[in-house]
Amino acid sequence: MDHQQLAQWLFPDVDLTPADLEDKYPARDLAEGAFVTRLGPSPTGFMHIGNLYTGLINERLAHQTGGRFFLRIEDTDHKRYVEGAEDVITDALAYFGIQYDEGVFKTEEKGAYGPYHQSDRAGIYHVIAKHLVVQGYAYPSFATEEDLAALRAQQEAEKADTGYYGKWAKDRTLSLEDIKAKLDAGSPWTLRLRSRALPGDGYRVPDGIRGHVTVHPNKQDVVLLKTNGIPTYHFAHVVDDHFMRTTHVIRGEEWLATLPIHLELFELLAWQAPLYCHTAHLMKIDEGTRRKLSKRKDPEMALSYYMEKGYHPTSVREYLMILINSDYEEWRLAHPEAPLEDFQVTLDKMASSGALYDMVKLDDVAKESLLHISEEDLADFLIHWAQDYAPEAAPLLQAHRADLVRLLAIGRDGKKPRKDLVYAEQMLAHVSYFFDEWFQVKDDLPDNIPPAEARTILEAYLESYDPADDNSAWFGKVRDIATDLGYAARPKDYKKDPDSYKGHVGDVSAVIRLAVTGQMASPDLWSVQQIMGPDKVKSRIESYLTQLA
């Protein structure tokens, strides 16, 4: 067959050669050992935690080696395209602090190896497609959907492997004359790989995370270009990763099954394949059983979940780093104040089997990580979050920013700091008692204190209350009220001899706390009152007294 003639019929407008593209996209001028990595999401309107997991791996590996990390939008499947989805991608990466060097940004593309939208790279794909045809490695197929359905049915009836290959790939034996006749008749065609279908058992190939993986030679004549001339993922990513000079491809283990196709394409094109690194699935425990995180079942799969809840990006990145490298948590304990970037991510310490994704663990990491963020930054984070997700609260938080900073600071110093801040939605609920607009009495009095007794306690407290008292003097007065009314000065005294007391000083302070904050649990009450000021404290207590009447 005259492959040169066939290539000209199929791609009459393609004048460039692979050599022209090699000149246009030369090897990157980077130091030896620098990684070039990429993230290639599809614009479906959904960004999931797996995207962020691989994105953070890519970003760290590239930047810690002095390399480059780029964002490529893989938008060749027009049926799955969702309007506004690119903003979802760039906004999510920006929110979680994933910094890339080139590719698709909010309003533009940056970088010398673009375009970075696959939909804008058709000319590049066609150059390589034509080259494959010239070399006899690709051919046009005129099989319709009905033909393929009939083929699958016959294969299933004969218990043969399904797909378009070998004796089942009827169009790979079409003569030049047959092809010309079909082209002249305007028959739609796809371009398929003419697989070598090499014999042999599985063979081992390097994998950056797993060491090696065993693959079987590809025998499928997969589609490279669809009838509209748009490439499939298999073809597009091979071409793009070569001309964007990607050195490492970090992707999920679900792609292991198609690795032989990708390796065959690199071999046929005489290109050096990047090092493929297949990450483990993110798993969760569901009713005692481990299973993959699911877009359909698990809200925590979506990055929008963390943005709506208001998880601080530092918290999420810290947790993902624990999943990425097995020794990160130990390193963090030894370097509590060091920036995450000081840790060297390594491929050989990544999980090769299901990594357990645990929301309880994430919350614990969040509590710890927020301790290392200043209350000023936390206040601004909360305000910015509220502007997007709780707009009715944002003006109030902004107007009282100074008070908000002081509220968030309560108990954060000392040897045993408070660890009760988790994410913005919870933080907002945590400080809501301070604002009269949201204040409500949520809890009941202690069981051992009836309303009349509570009135007596609060009236005595109002009489003795002095905002100038320091914490020690303030608590001394509360203890005096307690002992005067028959309560033990210390909980352990009450525990030793409960029949001699009505309760203990903690019960008395609980009544005051309930009147001031509306709840039985709150940050240090003296600190809260200092921020509120005497007028608000007295007003709260007097209002509660009327409820007890």
Side-chain angles (χ1 to χ4, degrees):
M1 178 179 288
D2 185 344
H3 297 299
Q4 187 75 45
Q5 180 62 73
L6 176 57
Q8 191 59 33
W9 287 342
L10 296 177
F11 302 99
D13 299 324
V14 174
D15 298 321
L16 296 177
T17 67
D20 294 323
L21 295 178
E22 297 288 350
D23 290 339
K24 185 175 181 180
Y25 302 108
R28 291 174 180 267
D29 184 16
L30 297 172
E32 184 177 354
F35 285 28
V36 178
T37 63
R38 47 79 164 174
L39 187 65
S42 298
T44 61
F46 184 81
M47 282 286 280
H48 55 78
I49 194 67
N51 296 135
L52 192 62
Y53 177 68
T54 55
L56 184 55
I57 295 171
N58 279 300
E59 188 274 333
R60 287 285 74 237
L61 290 174
H63 290 164
Q64 72 186 21
T65 59
R68 302 285 284 179
F69 170 43
F70 62 89
L71 174 66
R72 182 172 70 217
I73 301 297
E74 301 190 345
D75 56 351
T76 59
D77 190 345
H78 293 165
K79 293 179 181 178
R80 299 179 65 213
Y81 181 84
V82 173
E83 193 69 34
E86 287 186 29
D87 286 344
V88 172
I89 294 169
T90 55
D91 288 350
L93 294 177
Y95 179 91
F96 291 103
I98 303 299
Q99 303 293 324
Y100 50 97
D101 306 295
E102 61 189 63
V104 179
F105 291 82
K106 184 77 171 179
T107 59
E108 61 181 335
E109 288 191 6
K110 298 178 184 177
Y113 290 80
Y116 295 91
H117 288 83
Q118 286 186 333
S119 58
D120 294 333
R121 297 175 63 84
I124 296 173
Y125 304 131
H126 288 186
V127 170
I128 304 306
K130 184 174 183 178
H131 172 72
L132 288 172
V133 175
V134 169
Q135 298 299 313
Y137 297 147
Y139 65 91
S141 172
F142 302 90
T144 64
E145 289 297 325
E146 292 75 18
D147 294 334
L148 296 174
L151 176 64
R152 282 192 296 271
Q154 186 178 353
Q155 288 171 333
E156 290 169 359
E158 296 184 20
K159 296 184 172 12
D161 292 339
T162 57
Y164 202 79
Y165 65 94
K167 70 174 185 178
W168 306 99
K170 304 297 185 183
D171 286 355
R172 72 183 290 164
T173 60
L174 287 175
S175 68
L176 196 61
E177 292 74 18
D178 291 336
I179 293 173
K180 184 66 164 65
K182 289 180 179 292
L183 292 174
D184 288 344
S187 300
W189 56 273
T190 59
L191 188 72
R192 287 184 178 271
L193 170 69
R194 189 185 298 275
S195 174
R196 295 167 296 174
L198 297 174
D201 298 326
Y203 61 99
R204 299 205 326 159
V205 297
D207 184 288
I209 293 174
R210 298 158 190 267
H212 290 84
V213 293
T214 299
V215 300
H216 294 270
N218 172 54
K219 67 179 181 181
Q220 297 284 344
D221 287 6
V222 295
V223 173
L224 303 178
L225 295 180
K226 299 174 234 182
T227 55
N228 58 3
I230 297 298
T232 59
Y233 169 79
H234 302 305
F235 186 45
H237 102 269
V238 166
V239 174
D240 291 345
D241 283 337
H242 175 69
F243 287 115
M244 293 178 174
R245 307 302 176 180
T246 306
T247 64
H248 294 70
V249 173
I250 293 93
R251 62 184 187 180
E253 65 180 282
E254 64 271 15
W255 292 107
L256 276 168
T258 56
L259 180 59
I261 299 170
H262 307 151
L263 293 177
E264 183 171 18
L265 280 167
F266 275 106
E267 290 173 14
L268 292 176
L269 290 163
W271 293 341
Q272 175 66 49
L275 180 62
Y276 284 97
C277 313
H278 292 91
T279 62
H281 289 308
L282 296 180
M283 312 290 285
K284 72 176 294 183
I285 300 295
D286 186 6
E287 297 182 352
T289 302
R290 289 169 71 102
R291 65 165 175 81
K292 287 170 55 179
L293 277 178
S294 165
K295 294 179 185 179
R296 183 173 56 86
K297 295 179 181 179
D298 304 314
E300 67 269 30
M301 186 70 167
L303 292 188
S304 58
Y305 173 86
Y306 304 90
M307 297 166 74
E308 291 165 6
K309 287 283 187 183
Y311 279 91
H312 197 283
T314 297
S315 302
V316 179
R317 290 200 306 270
E318 285 287 322
Y319 179 55
L320 290 179
M321 287 294 290
I322 293 172
L323 298 180
I324 288 169
N325 265 183
S326 56
D327 56 343
Y328 180 77
E329 198 164 13
E330 181 180 355
W331 177 87
R332 174 51 76 197
L333 287 172
H335 305 86
E337 300 298 333
L340 174 154
E341 291 76 15
D342 284 0
F343 178 81
Q344 293 293 298
V345 171
T346 55
L347 290 167
D348 61 353
K349 288 187 172 65
M350 292 183 191
S352 58
S353 59
L356 185 61
Y357 193 84
D358 184 353
M359 290 298 294
V360 174
K361 177 68 171 179
L362 169 61
D363 285 353
D364 288 342
V365 170
K367 292 174 184 178
E368 181 66 37
S369 66
L370 293 186
L371 281 178
H372 303 281
I373 299 173
S374 72
E375 46 268 22
E376 289 85 359
D377 287 345
L378 282 181
D380 290 337
F381 173 73
L382 179 56
I383 291 168
H384 291 152
W385 171 84
Q387 289 169 348
D388 290 331
Y389 298 103
E392 73 289 347
L396 198 59
L397 294 174
Q398 183 65 63
H400 293 271
R401 182 186 177 279
D403 291 333
L404 179 61
V405 169
R406 296 176 67 192
L407 289 170
L408 295 173
I410 297 175
R412 281 167 53 87
D413 53 5
K415 293 182 179 180
K416 292 185 177 180
R418 283 173 43 235
K419 297 182 181 180
D420 50 4
L421 302 179
V422 188
Y423 49 83
E425 184 180 76
Q426 177 263 349
M427 289 163 59
L428 181 60
H430 182 78
V431 300
S432 63
Y433 67 86
F434 178 82
F435 300 92
D436 291 339
E437 291 84 350
W438 302 326
F439 176 75
Q440 55 181 306
V441 178
K442 298 178 180 179
D443 296 330
D444 297 326
L445 287 165
D447 293 338
N448 61 326
I449 298 182
E453 179 76 357
R455 283 187 59 85
T456 300
I457 291 171
L458 292 174
E459 287 168 351
Y461 181 72
L462 277 177
E463 186 174 341
S464 67
Y465 172 64
D466 183 348
D469 289 339
D470 63 16
N471 201 334
S472 177
W474 169 81
F475 186 71
K477 290 181 177 180
V478 173
R479 187 170 51 230
D480 290 344
I481 292 171
T483 55
D484 290 346
L485 294 175
Y487 294 84
R490 298 180 300 178
K492 65 180 182 180
D493 294 338
Y494 173 74
K495 188 175 182 180
K496 286 181 181 178
D497 188 12
D499 293 335
S500 297
Y501 304 100
K502 296 179 181 179
H504 57 76
V505 66
D507 298 322
V508 173
S509 63
V511 173
I512 302 168
R513 186 184 307 276
L514 186 62
V516 174
T517 69
Q519 51 200 30
M520 296 292 285
S522 78
D524 177 70
L525 185 55
W526 177 81
S527 299
V528 168
Q529 292 178 122
Q530 294 303 106
I531 300 170
M532 283 186 173
D535 291 342
K536 181 180 285 192
V537 170
K538 292 176 182 178
S539 175
R540 291 273 179 95
I541 294 174
E542 289 166 354
S543 176
Y544 190 56
L545 282 170
T546 63
Q547 296 179 43
L548 296 174

